[in-house]
Amino acid sequence: ATADTPFRGADTTVPAGTEWTSLLLLVVVGAGHNSVSLGWEMLYPVFASERIEFGGQDWTPPQIGATFAIAAAILVAFSTVAFPLLIRRWGIVGACLVCWLPAAALPPSFPRVVRVLLDAGWTRLSWPVVTVNCVWQIAVANLVGTGFVGVQMMMLDFAHGQPGMSALTATGWLTMARGFAIGVAPVAIGALATYGQRAEANGSLFVSRQLAFDALGAGILLVCVLPLWLLPKGAVPDLRSGGDGARGVGGRLGMVGA
């Protein structure tokens, strides 16, 4: 790297010429993950509190809050015990991929599963409906929520491999990305939800009121998983796993040879 860039030093782990690409991909992941998390925290309470005849499940704020509380309590245990084990096995990038790939199916499936149960005659507080709400909340909290720690660790590990970049600089890039998401994501999610409701009311065959939930699932794949998959080998060194730091994402997951 040249002297006028923050990527200096012969011991950098990032292949020459890919430093800015790696940084920008991590910034996209930071903004994308924050957007998905905000989207779920917006959409779930709105869906759960909506009247059944309007496509929701007619829950009260205390009932909705209870699912968040249960999920948050289990997230503490998952982040303390299970997530570090995933990191030791696959590295921080691989651990996030292992969590985010199945998480992409959760937002699109949740409102549809609840709708099937209600249409089948189960009441809004029947055990299947309550169980689905708790299971989905716990799954989203653990598989997506750990990303707040994971993305921060990835950015700091990236800075560790850049002698000219401090941890504060890396954190600044991530904070900027998350701030952008906070400003844009709520508006985008709200617009998608409104459009989906209107399209369904007008008899659309291809767009439904679940459009915003579908967008969250697509968002996990497009702005969380895909940028990590494209990350150059060695961009985030394996500082916490048993890997050699050079196998890349596919190598950590056993998808390509070492």
Side-chain angles (χ1 to χ4, degrees):
T2 60
D4 59 349
T5 73
F7 310 107
R8 296 190 294 271
D11 57 341
T12 178
T13 62
V14 183
T18 66
E19 299 93 341
W20 280 110
T21 300
S22 301
L23 177 61
L24 291 176
L25 286 172
L26 289 173
V27 167
V28 169
V29 172
H33 175 266
N34 217 41
S35 298
V36 170
S37 300
L38 286 170
W40 177 260
E41 292 171 2
M42 287 175 55
L43 291 176
Y44 174 80
V46 172
F47 170 84
S49 62
E50 191 71 82
R51 294 170 61 182
I52 294 177
E53 55 266 35
F54 296 143
Q57 60 185 31
D58 200 16
W59 275 23
T60 64
Q63 292 162 350
I64 296 170
T67 65
F68 276 106
I70 293 170
I74 296 178
L75 173 60
V76 173
F78 184 85
S79 300
T80 304
V81 179
F83 196 56
L85 294 177
L86 294 178
I87 294 174
R88 293 191 190 100
R89 174 64 179 86
W90 286 302
I92 183 59
V93 175
C96 287
L97 283 174
V98 166
C99 291
W100 291 346
L101 281 169
L106 295 174
S109 60
F110 170 70
R112 292 175 169 86
V113 173
V114 171
R115 191 73 254 168
V116 168
L117 292 174
L118 294 175
D119 289 345
W122 294 99
T123 63
R124 65 187 184 89
L125 293 178
S126 60
W127 71 264
V129 174
V130 172
T131 299
V132 165
N133 276 264
C134 290
V135 168
W136 257 255
Q137 275 280 51
I138 291 169
V140 171
N142 286 272
L143 297 180
V144 178
T146 49
F148 285 104
V149 176
V151 174
Q152 184 77 42
M153 292 169 64
M154 282 188 280
M155 187 63 83
L156 292 177
D157 288 357
F158 171 78
H160 178 85
Q162 308 298 327
M165 175 177 285
S166 68
L168 286 176
T169 301
T171 302
W173 278 94
L174 184 56
T175 301
M176 176 193 69
R178 287 173 169 169
F180 175 81
I182 291 173
V184 174
V187 177
I189 294 296
L192 287 172
T194 301
Y195 177 75
Q197 290 175 350
R198 291 180 177 176
E200 183 176 292
N202 291 330
S204 174
L205 298 177
F206 305 103
V207 180
S208 70
R209 64 175 59 246
Q210 284 83 34
L211 176 63
F213 282 101
D214 296 340
L216 292 186
I220 293 175
L221 295 176
L222 294 178
V223 293
C224 293
V225 172
L226 182 60
L228 284 191
W229 201 262
L230 296 176
L231 205 62
K233 290 183 179 181
V236 178
D238 276 329
L239 302 180
R240 300 173 179 84
S241 76
D244 58 11
R247 296 174 63 193
V249 175
R252 292 188 186 96
L253 293 178
M255 297 178 182
V256 297

